[in-house]
């Protein structure tokens, strides 16, 4: 019979009254945190199924008296959600390609190639992590404007190739790959590009999956930067369109607003629930080792 793995607490410790009290308090704190996170989502969903007088009623009630599913049909026809969703997915796809090949190639070079002063180069990238993101919004905007990339998806794809955090995760993962694999491929006549595309990238699927989830979340939720570099409905991603056409709208009914917000909030929740194991696994594999 296989022996059970020992947890943090032994069976003796778990029977002590003080230990049970601490566990009880921690459970209450966790439950309160979960409720505080789920309550806004529940309010948004149930308000999307209410009538306008019921949404504005006081004191408010969580559950609707009558379930108004027609609010979702009206919300779907209010704005061009498929167009904005397509723009968001294009931003995500471009960011992923740039991250895998540009940052992945840089991480592979810093990890497996004999570059002169590569530690100094890597230290330079790490120092950018200490710079507040708000400080380089204006320089990025000016550079993209001078390059003529306004109203272009390259305004998202180009900065994606300068993420020091993603570079750090990829390099830390490549550092754990045995160098003998690449030395054997070089003996067989393989180039460094072959080692990167045919050996390193297939092994890096876990960390790439984690980065894909992060990039999807960023592309889905970011509205401020797209509102600066994009102008007009044909170029807006979903979050910017929601901010400009729903959050700032004055003539839109509240229940329809909540219906739109519910539809927009559902996909990232589903993506996280399905791929959450890749997040923890990827961060573990790509973590910095001491």
């Amino acid at each position: 019979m296989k022996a059970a793995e020992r947890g943090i607490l032994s069976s003796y410790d778990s029977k002590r009254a003080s230990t049970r009290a601490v566990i009880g308090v921690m459970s209450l704190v966790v439950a309160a945190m979960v409720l505080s996170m789920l309550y806004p989502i529940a309010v948004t969903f149930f308000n999307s199924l209410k009538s306008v007088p019921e949404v504005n009623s006081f004191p408010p009630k969580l559950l609707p008296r009558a379930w108004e599913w027609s609010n979702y049909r009206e919300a779907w026809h209010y704005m061009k959600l498929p167009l904005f969703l397509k723009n968001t997915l294009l931003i995500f796809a471009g960011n992923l390609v740039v991250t895998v090949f540009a940052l992945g190639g840089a991480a592979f070079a810093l990890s497996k190639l004999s570059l002169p002063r590569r530690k100094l180069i890597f230290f330079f990238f790490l120092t950018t992590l200490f710079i507040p993101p708000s400080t380089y919004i204006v320089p990025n905007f000016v550079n993209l404007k001078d390059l003529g990339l306004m109203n272009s998806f390259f305004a998202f794809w180009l900065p994606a190739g300068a993420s020091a955090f993603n570079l750090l995760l990829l390099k830390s993962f490549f550092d754990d790959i045995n160098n003998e694999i690449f030395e054997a491929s070089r003996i067989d006549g393989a180039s460094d590009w072959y080692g990167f595309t045919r050996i390193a990238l297939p092994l890096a699927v876990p960390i790439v999956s984690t980065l894909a989830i992060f990039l999807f979340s960023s592309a889905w939720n970011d509205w401020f930067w797209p509102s600066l570099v994009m102008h007009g409905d044909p170029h807006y991603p979903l979050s910017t369109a929601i901010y400009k056409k729903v959050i700032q709208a004055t003539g839109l009914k509240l229940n329809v607003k909540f219906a739109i917000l519910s539809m927009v909030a559902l996909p990232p929740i589903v993506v996280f629930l399905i791929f959450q194991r890749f997040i923890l696994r990827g961060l573990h594999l790509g973590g910095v080792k001491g």
Side-chain angles (χ1 to χ4, degrees):
M1 182 180 296
K2 184 179 179 180
E5 295 183 1
R6 188 181 186 278
I8 299 177
L9 297 176
S10 65
S11 58
Y12 173 77
D13 293 331
S14 60
K15 294 179 182 179
R16 298 174 59 182
S18 59
T19 303
R20 290 185 177 181
V22 172
I23 294 176
V25 172
M26 293 176 60
S27 300
L28 291 175
V29 172
V30 171
M33 294 174 60
V34 171
L35 290 176
S36 66
M37 296 176 185
L38 293 179
Y39 180 74
I41 300 175
V43 169
T44 302
F45 174 71
F46 288 124
N47 281 345
S48 67
L49 298 172
K50 296 178 180 179
S51 61
V52 176
E54 194 174 358
V55 173
N56 295 321
S57 64
F58 186 84
K61 295 182 179 180
L62 182 62
L63 297 177
R65 296 189 186 93
W67 300 76
E68 302 285 345
W69 292 101
S70 60
N71 294 337
Y72 281 89
R73 183 172 61 254
E74 185 176 352
W76 180 262
H77 294 290
Y78 172 74
M79 56 190 301
K80 301 176 181 178
L81 287 177
L83 171 63
F84 303 130
L85 176 61
K86 182 195 73 173
N87 293 339
T88 301
L89 295 179
L90 283 175
I91 294 173
F92 160 70
N95 289 349
L96 182 60
V97 171
V98 171
T99 299
V100 170
F101 288 99
L103 289 180
F108 180 79
L110 292 173
S111 177
K112 299 303 179 185
L113 302 184
S114 299
L115 297 179
R117 299 182 179 180
R118 62 179 181 177
K119 291 185 178 180
L120 181 62
I121 297 174
F122 184 61
F123 177 77
F124 169 77
F125 282 106
L126 289 183
T127 56
T128 61
L129 292 174
F130 297 94
I131 302 176
S134 57
T135 60
Y136 48 77
I137 290 180
V138 174
N140 281 346
F141 179 83
V142 173
N143 290 334
L144 293 173
K145 184 178 180 181
D146 293 340
L147 292 173
L149 297 179
M150 305 298 289
N151 268 343
S152 169
F153 291 115
F154 285 97
F156 303 94
W157 299 338
L158 191 61
S163 174
F165 176 76
N166 294 343
L167 176 69
L168 173 63
L169 288 182
L170 289 167
K171 182 184 179 300
S172 298
F173 184 89
F174 291 148
D175 287 341
D176 288 339
I177 301 178
N178 198 322
N179 291 330
E180 294 179 358
I181 300 176
F182 301 100
E183 292 175 359
S185 67
R186 294 189 185 99
I187 293 175
D188 293 336
S191 62
D192 293 329
W193 176 253
Y194 182 93
F196 171 62
T197 57
R198 299 298 181 89
I199 300 176
L201 283 185
L203 293 175
V205 169
I207 192 65
V208 170
S209 301
T210 303
L211 290 176
I213 296 174
F214 290 159
L215 293 173
F216 176 79
S217 176
S218 177
W220 193 272
N221 296 320
D222 186 21
W223 64 270
F224 180 72
W225 179 249
S227 65
L228 293 179
V229 298
M230 293 294 194
H231 306 93
D233 290 355
H235 303 92
Y236 283 150
L238 190 59
S239 56
T240 303
I242 292 297
Y243 176 75
K244 291 182 175 293
K245 295 182 173 295
V246 178
I247 303 300
Q248 291 185 334
T250 57
L252 183 62
K253 294 186 294 186
L254 280 178
N255 53 358
V256 177
K257 278 188 178 183
F258 282 115
I260 297 175
L261 295 177
S262 298
M263 289 190 295
V264 172
L266 183 61
I269 294 176
V270 173
V271 169
F272 175 79
L273 292 177
I274 295 176
F275 298 103
Q276 60 178 325
R277 64 181 183 276
F278 291 104
I279 299 178
L280 299 178
R281 182 185 178 192
L283 290 178
H284 174 72
L285 294 173
V288 180
K289 310 298 189 296

